[in-house]
Amino acid sequence: MASRDPLRFATTTAADVAREAGVSEATVARAAQKLGFTGVKEMKAAYAARVQRGVGLEGVMESRLARLRSMGASGPERTLGGVLASAADLLLTLSETLDPAAFAEAAEGIGAAPRTVVYGLGTGSQIAGYFVLELERGGVDAVVVSGSGHTNADAVFRLRPDDAVIVLAPRVVFDDVAAFIAGAAGIVGLVAVVSQDEVPKASRGSAVHLRLPDTSGGVATESVAAWGVCDALVAEVVRARPDRALEARSRLQELRERYSAR
């Protein structure tokens, strides 16, 4: 089923997969492990990501518009309500599915590192800019990097061994992103990937995965969940080191007053 109909496999319970194959759930779990996954859950997520990867921007938009129509969104008010409801559901799902250990490792890494490097392409780079701004306001030295093709060499070249690296790839880990992850993992101690896609197999043992919920069935974009993870990371870093955050905010406020007086 997985190869023949990956979407159906990704959205079918392990019990149903076992029933259709005429085997036990334990057999399905062992098969997933033989294929290199930790279990059926990870295998289903991988096939869901494979389906997502094959859908272009036009297809994603068409899917969201179809979902809006199915929700009865026929005007501005219903569109607003539908999108906000979908965003709320997405964030609730995120709070239930995000691995607490992975989140804690990423937050602790940011808090301990002399500098945090945030990488993103496209939408990811825009979120990265916001994330870095909030980290700096929390007293964390942070910088945005981006790169594709040969410019990835510059992005990796700028890394220092004691950096913490956060990669923002909300929907898909494209080949350029995968290349950066692999390069960063060979230099720094922490690489955390924020994405609903799988961490590239070559980097799974060296990168922390902050997995975002699948957004293929809703109208809220994957960016909503990525923003949420960024805000949560900033909050945890500030909670752990409030002295550093208060000092940074005090300096920022002084500057605001100085420039506002002009």
Side-chain angles (χ1 to χ4, degrees), residues 191-208:
V191 179
V193 182
V194 180
S195 181
Q196 62 179 311
D197 199 357
E198 290 298 310
V199 172
K201 196 166 185 177
S203 301
R204 285 181 192 171
S206 53
V208 178

Side-chain angles (χ1 to χ4, degrees), residues 41-90:
K41 183 178 180 179
E42 183 179 343
M43 185 176 177
K44 283 161 62 68
Y47 275 86
R50 183 179 298 180
V51 173
Q52 280 283 83
R53 185 184 290 272
V55 178
L57 293 176
E58 183 179 358
V60 171
M61 180 59 69
E62 288 176 348
S63 174
R64 287 176 180 149
L65 288 173
R67 179 61 178 159
L68 270 176
R69 288 192 293 270
S70 72
M71 297 168 68
S74 56
E77 290 186 11
R78 287 186 176 274
T79 297
L80 174 63
V83 172
L84 293 181
S86 184
D89 288 341
L90 180 59

Side-chain angles (χ1 to χ4, degrees), residues 95-113:
S95 70
E96 296 168 356
T97 60
L98 187 63
D99 182 2
F103 176 81
E105 185 175 352
E108 289 169 6
I110 293 171

Side-chain angles (χ1 to χ4, degrees), residues 140-247:
V140 176
D141 184 11
V143 62
V144 177
V145 298
S146 187
S148 60
H150 73 277
T151 61
N152 253 337
D154 291 303
V156 174
F157 177 73
R158 294 171 185 167
L159 298 179
R160 306 167 186 164
D162 54 4
D163 283 337
V165 172
I166 309 296
V167 177
L168 295 173
R171 189 171 74 90
V172 177
V173 176
F174 294 106
D175 290 343
D176 286 324
V177 181
F180 176 81
I181 293 171
I187 297 173
V188 306
L190 171 71
V191 179
V193 182
V194 180
S195 181
Q196 62 179 311
D197 199 357
E198 290 298 310
V199 172
K201 196 166 185 177
S203 301
R204 285 181 192 171
S206 53
V208 178
H209 191 186
L210 299 180
R211 187 191 298 277
L212 304 181
D214 176 53
T215 55
S216 58
V219 294
T221 72
E222 56 281 344
S223 299
V224 171
W227 289 106
V229 169
C230 290
D231 281 342
L233 285 171
V234 170
E236 175 56 20
V237 170
V238 169
R239 183 203 65 77
R241 286 289 306 275
D243 55 330
R244 184 170 61 180
L246 288 172
E247 180 184 353

